Amino acid sequence: MLPLFLALCAILFFWMTGWYFVARYFRRTDIVDMVWWLSYGVIAAFLLFTSPLDARVVAFLFVILWSVRLVSHIIVRLRKHAEDPRYAAFRISWGDDFWWKSYVYIFLLQGLFIGIIALPLFFMTGEITAQSIIGAVLWVVWFVFEYIIPFRKLVFERS
């Protein structure tokens, strides 16, 4: 398990570094908010392709769907608004040091937090239990009420 986790750490480092350069190009550090949620989908996809096919597959697919749902919401927000005031304030207070500080304190630090928060995915068992079935059903119900129904109303119902 340790080699798999170390590989994930390397992936997260390069992933966050790549997104840092995208943020720099667009001059929008708030891209990291989208990357935060997308990262969990990337981790789940990584584990999906490096783990045996068992009950964990369902959980990994759920994390990927959850990630896509949140990213779609944030993309809409990014397109409609100027840079998030939190990052604009950092830009002002950090002055000429903004770009290197944003790399270390925003992108790399959040990459570290993402890796720590994703640790439970590494400890999941592949056994199908009553709890895992109940959890899957509850997740699907949540996903329908949280995303599918509001999306359907947005697309198909006109005010």
Side-chain angles (χ1 to χ4, degrees), residues 6 19 24 33 38 50 58 73-74 85 114 116 119 133-134 139 141 143 146-147 150:
L6 293 176
W19 280 105
R24 224 177 139 167
D33 292 343
L38 189 57
T50 58
V58 173
H73 169 75
I74 291 174
I114 291 164
I116 292 169
L119 275 176
I133 292 170
I134 292 168
W139 190 94
V141 168
F143 191 76
E146 180 72 20
Y147 186 67

Side-chain angles (χ1 to χ4, degrees), residues 44-45 48 55-67 139 143:
L48 181 65
R56 289 177 281 198
V57 169
V58 173
F60 296 151
L61 290 173
F62 285 169
V63 171
I64 292 168
L65 284 170
W66 171 76
S67 173
W139 190 94
F143 191 76

Side-chain angles (χ1 to χ4, degrees), residues 128-146:
I128 297 176
T129 63
Q131 290 93 342
S132 64
I133 292 170
I134 292 168
V137 168
L138 289 174
W139 190 94
V140 169
V141 168
W142 163 82
F143 191 76
V144 167
F145 281 99
E146 180 72 20

Side-chain angles (χ1 to χ4, degrees), residues 5 8 12 40 43 47 113-123:
F5 183 71
L8 179 66
L12 278 173
Y40 293 105
I43 292 168
L47 292 173
F113 292 150
I114 291 164
I116 292 169
I117 293 168
L119 275 176
L121 292 173
F122 284 87
F123 297 108

Side-chain angles (χ1 to χ4, degrees), residues 40-104:
Y40 293 105
V42 168
I43 292 168
F46 172 75
L47 292 173
L48 181 65
F49 291 113
T50 58
S51 299
L53 293 176
D54 56 24
R56 289 177 281 198
V57 169
V58 173
F60 296 151
L61 290 173
F62 285 169
V63 171
I64 292 168
L65 284 170
W66 171 76
S67 173
V68 168
R69 183 197 79 77
L70 287 168
V71 168
S72 66
H73 169 75
I74 291 174
I75 287 173
V76 169
R77 188 183 74 196
L78 287 173
R79 292 182 74 194
K80 288 183 178 181
H81 303 288
E83 186 175 41
D84 186 298
R86 296 172 295 164
Y87 301 110
F90 287 142
R91 187 180 304 279
I92 292 167
S93 68
W94 289 344
D96 292 339
D97 296 332
F98 174 74
W99 285 111
W100 77 263
K101 284 186 175 183
S102 69
Y103 176 61
V104 173

